[in-house]
Amino acid sequence: MKTRLLSILALALSAVAVRAVSEGPPVPKEVREVAQVFTERMMVVKGEGAAPSDRPLGGGQKRLLAQRAAKVVALRELAETLAGVRVAGDTSVQDAAARSDQIRTAVDGMVKGAETVYEGYDERAEIATVYLRLNLDGPNGVTGNLLPKIVEQRAVEVPAAPVYAPPVPAAPAPPAAVEVADGLIIDATGKNFRPALINRIVASNGSVLFEPSKIAPEVLAKRGCGDYTSDLGKAKAILANHGAKNPIVVVATGVVRSTDAQVSESDAAAIFTNNGKSNFLESAKVVFVL
């Protein structure tokens, strides 16, 4: 049987356990941080169930009912997992859904439409196991179904932050002989930066360089606010796959509200100037290194 690699996620709002397993009885391998959901762009949850013992059942009935019970458990786990995903520094999906029927409906629909990636049954123990997967990206993913609705809601609820403008006089454009940057890497390692559905880049004065409103709607629905990784080399490879061959690398000076990466004034001016020539922010050619 062909071996597959699954990422198994168990999230309690702020902590995620991701385990690598192959087909067959799952064996926990390692535990990672919540950032793994965003770097792997999916969440996979496990459910276990047994048939009711209050009445006599045949072997086939036990298996069927145990599998149904396992899927119910997995669906509940997935709903809790998705509800705990951070939207931004001040809210989670659960908070957003509590204030919006549209968001609550989208969450319910995604949970019900989650893909079954593994089903198993232990004849001896009479225990069924089911794994469900929900992708962050794609037509049925979290980003496309949920993020536009959340952005629309936050535009009403959260006061708009000032938009970044370069100092006067504006930072000089790069010399003609220098290749203009066509992508952006934000190195936020060691800064307690948390990936979220909405991650922003802000200047030292609090003005906003990058947020969902800067991204083309079709790109936002497909990929959200960019990509995430734990390695600078991987960040460059991700951008290369998006067509960005000469990214600018900026080290974050700090983090605001845990999900906004702050950069220095000189780096903000460099980002602004280069983006004016290649529009990498609109294309979300941005990678956050965690």
Side-chain angles (χ1 to χ4, degrees), residues 191-213:
K191 297 294 192 302
N192 199 29
F193 175 82
R194 296 185 181 183
L197 293 179
I198 298 176
N199 285 116
R200 306 190 307 173
I201 301 171
V202 299
S204 56
N205 63 2
S207 58
V208 177
L209 276 155
F210 177 69
E211 63 177 356
S213 65

Side-chain angles (χ1 to χ4, degrees), residues 47-220:
E48 289 184 327
S53 57
D54 59 347
R55 59 186 183 274
L57 297 169
Q61 290 176 307
K62 287 183 178 181
R63 180 187 183 100
L64 179 61
L65 292 175
Q67 287 177 333
R68 287 180 179 176
K71 187 168 185 178
V72 168
V73 172
L75 286 169
R76 183 174 66 243
E77 185 72 24
L78 186 57
E80 294 175 356
T81 297
L82 183 55
V85 169
R86 190 177 298 271
V87 170
D90 56 357
T91 186
S92 69
V93 171
Q94 179 172 311
D95 301 323
R99 299 193 298 269
S100 169
D101 290 338
Q102 277 192 330
I103 292 175
R104 183 166 56 252
T105 300
V107 171
D108 291 343
M110 284 186 292
V111 170
K112 292 176 182 177
E115 178 186 4
T116 301
V117 293
Y118 174 84
E119 285 186 315
Y121 183 69
D122 186 333
E123 297 281 356
R124 181 175 299 179
E126 297 183 340
I127 297 292
T129 303
V130 173
Y131 290 97
L132 299 179
R133 180 174 65 203
L134 181 60
N135 293 324
L136 262 65
D137 305 321
N140 299 316
V142 175
T143 302
N145 284 283
L146 193 58
L147 187 53
K149 297 180 179 65
I150 287 178
V151 169
E152 181 179 346
Q153 176 181 309
R154 285 179 62 84
V156 175
E157 297 178 348
V158 181
V163 177
Y164 175 80
V168 180
V178 176
E179 186 178 1
V180 175
D182 56 1
L184 174 62
I185 296 173
I186 297 292
D187 185 351
T189 54
K191 297 294 192 302
N192 199 29
F193 175 82
R194 296 185 181 183
L197 293 179
I198 298 176
N199 285 116
R200 306 190 307 173
I201 301 171
V202 299
S204 56
N205 63 2
S207 58
V208 177
L209 276 155
F210 177 69
E211 63 177 356
S213 65
K214 304 286 186 183
I215 305 171
E218 65 274 12
V219 177
L220 181 67

